[in-house]
């Protein structure tokens, strides 16, 4: 039967079915960043054989030291990542590290030290300086969050003020004098692989929190569209206070680990740590515009910074050039993020 006959007989022709358009499969952001990490490591490996005649990746001790060095930055970066996802920023992390290190170290001194900051409070259980340090970081984070959430001060200004204030507080605390002669129990926090274990544990906890809990959904929603988050019933101010409190507490934890590793507290600790943490988050795919970012990407970003620093030192390149290259990479990461945003908007 012909098509005309079928139509005239009341049987309509079968409708044409459009084939679904094939979508291009894109690699996850973390995979792309991981490939960048591998590429950078291989470049340093090749340069090592050409310029020095040694292997960069073959030295296990160098790699261990590298991971230990970036673990503190990694702890801060986990908190900073969450702040950036809300389209905020935290410039106070490095100064909070210093103030926390001073306070925690002053409560962890040996009882036989004649020049202790608090002679009557020496020989305390190790949990006391740990809790004190975490409370200092929490307090700084709460102040940041309250200023941003309830006064409307831009995050840049609020955390910049905290950066200056916390650094001043660290210098005032002992008149600029270092705090030394810490107990063995406290020093154990920064000994061996403990800083790395702490970093990975923190990263795992907040990876789960961001990806599988309501806390994470609220954090992404606020960064993606704050007004829509308010309309949907999210208490944005309270959640921002929580996010900045977490970031401050993690900076406090980083200060504890830093002072434990150095077995002393010094007001000059943590300088520019906040910039390295922001750089790690941005390199790891966290968007400065908010709403995009993962802890796994930040972990890879932290390792990239560590590989770069270790690689430059391995090649005996001056520290000044290291800072220049680090700045170029940060700018390149931001440019790539802007390109991804425009591409996403067009799609």
């Amino acid at each position: 039967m012909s098509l005309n006959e079928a139509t005239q007989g009341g049987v309509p022709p079968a409708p044409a079915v459009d084939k679904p358009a094939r979508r291009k499969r894109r690699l996850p952001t973390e995979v792309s960043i991981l490939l960048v990490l591998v590429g950078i490591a291989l470049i340093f490996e090749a340069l090592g054989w050409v310029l020095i005649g040694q292997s960069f990746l073959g030295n296990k001790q160098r790699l261990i030291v590298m991971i230990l060095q970036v673990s503190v930055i990694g702890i801060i970066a986990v908190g900073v990542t969450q702040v950036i996802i809300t389209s905020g920023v935290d410039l106070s992390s490095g100064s909070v590290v210093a103030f926390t290190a001073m306070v925690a170290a002053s409560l962890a001194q040996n009882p036989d030290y004649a020049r202790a900051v608090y002679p009557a409070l020496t020989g305390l259980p190790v949990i006391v300086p740990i809790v004190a340090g975490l409370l200092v970081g929490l307090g700084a984070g709460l102040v940041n969050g309250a200023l941003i959430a309830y006064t409307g001060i831009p995050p840049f200004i609020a955390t910049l003020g905290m950066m200056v204030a916390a650094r001043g507080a660290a210098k005032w605390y002992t008149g600029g004098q270092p705090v030394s002669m810490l107990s063995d129990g406290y020093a154990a926090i920064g000994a061996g692989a403990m800083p790395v274990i702490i970093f990975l544990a923190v990263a795992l906890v907040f990876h789960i929190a961001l990806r599988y809990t309501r806390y994470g959904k609220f954090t992404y929603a606020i960064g993606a569209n704050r007004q829509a988050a308010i309309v949907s019933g999210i208490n944005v101010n309270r959640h921002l206070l929580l996010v900045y409190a977490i970031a401050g507490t993690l900076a406090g934890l980083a200060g504890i680990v830093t002072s434990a590793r150095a077995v002393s507290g010094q007001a000059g600790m943590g300088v520019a740590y906040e910039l390295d943490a922001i750089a790690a988050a941005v390199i790891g795919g966290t968007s400065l515009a908010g709403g995009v970012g993962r802890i796994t990407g930040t972990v890879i970003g932290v390792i990239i910074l560590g590989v770069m620093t270790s690689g430059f030192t391995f090649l005996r390149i001056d520290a000044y050039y290291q800072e220049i290259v680090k700045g170029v990479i940060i700018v390149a990461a931001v440019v790539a993020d802007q390109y991804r945003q425009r591409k996403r908007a067009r799609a």
Side-chain angles (χ1 to χ4, degrees):
M1 184 170 58
S2 67
L3 179 60
N4 290 336
E5 292 173 342
T7 305
Q8 292 173 1
V11 181
V17 179
D18 295 332
K19 293 182 179 180
R22 292 184 179 178
R23 293 183 180 180
K24 294 181 179 179
R25 293 184 178 180
R26 298 179 181 177
L27 290 175
T29 304
E30 290 84 349
V31 175
S32 303
I33 302 167
L34 186 60
L35 292 176
V36 171
L37 169 61
V38 173
I40 293 174
L42 291 177
I43 289 173
F44 280 122
E45 177 71 11
L47 291 176
W49 286 112
V50 172
L51 300 179
I52 302 179
Q54 297 180 13
S55 171
F56 173 67
L57 298 175
N59 190 320
K60 184 184 296 185
Q61 186 62 32
R62 181 184 297 111
L63 297 179
I64 292 174
V65 171
M66 178 195 74
I67 297 297
L68 287 172
Q69 288 175 340
V70 300
S71 58
V72 171
I73 299 297
I75 295 170
I76 300 172
V78 171
V80 168
T81 297
Q82 298 171 69
V83 169
I84 297 177
I85 289 174
T86 66
S87 72
V89 70
D90 189 354
L91 300 177
S92 66
S93 304
S95 297
V96 173
V97 165
F99 189 31
T100 299
M102 297 294 286
V103 173
S106 69
L107 297 174
Q109 292 182 291
N110 287 318
D112 55 351
Y113 184 45
R115 299 175 60 185
V117 177
Y118 302 112
L121 296 177
T122 56
L124 296 173
V126 70
I127 190 64
V128 174
I130 292 175
V131 171
L134 293 177
L135 288 176
V136 170
L138 174 62
L142 287 173
V143 172
N144 283 336
L147 289 173
I148 293 164
Y150 296 107
T151 68
I153 297 176
F156 180 89
I157 300 300
T159 58
L160 179 63
M162 179 57 69
M163 178 183 74
V164 177
R167 183 68 63 182
K171 296 176 181 178
W172 159 83
Y173 191 71
T174 59
Q177 298 299 315
V179 180
S180 55
M181 293 294 292
L182 308 186
S183 66
D184 293 339
Y186 185 79
I189 299 172
M194 187 57 67
V196 180
I197 295 172
I198 294 173
F199 165 44
L200 294 179
V202 167
L204 178 61
V205 167
F206 285 100
H207 169 73
I208 294 172
L210 283 178
R211 189 160 187 179
Y212 300 107
T213 69
R214 188 171 63 173
Y215 167 80
K217 294 178 182 178
F218 286 3
T219 302
Y220 284 108
I222 293 171
N225 191 324
R226 179 166 179 165
Q227 192 58 40
I230 295 173
V231 172
S232 66
I234 298 175
N235 190 328
V236 171
N237 290 338
R238 186 174 63 187
H239 193 79
L240 286 176
L241 185 66
L242 175 60
V243 170
Y244 279 91
I246 289 173
T249 303
L250 291 179
L253 177 59
I256 294 169
V257 174
T258 300
S259 58
R261 280 194 67 198
V263 199
S264 69
Q266 301 177 30
M269 287 177 164
V271 174
Y273 278 16
E274 66 278 352
L275 300 182
D276 285 343
I278 293 171
V282 173
I283 292 171
T286 303
S287 174
L288 290 173
V292 176
R294 290 186 179 180
I295 299 299
T296 48
T298 297
V299 170
I300 300 173
V302 168
I303 298 175
I304 288 176
L305 287 181
V307 169
M308 287 170 50
T309 302
S310 180
F312 285 133
T313 304
F314 168 65
L315 296 176
R316 301 182 179 88
I317 296 177
D318 195 1
Y320 301 116
Y321 297 111
Q322 297 182 27
E323 298 299 325
I324 293 172
V325 174
K326 187 185 297 183
V328 171
I329 290 179
I330 294 171
V331 172
V334 174
V335 170
D337 173 58
Q338 295 294 321
Y339 171 76
R340 286 195 299 266
Q341 290 185 47
R342 288 194 296 268
K343 191 173 181 180
R344 193 181 299 116
R346 287 196 299 267

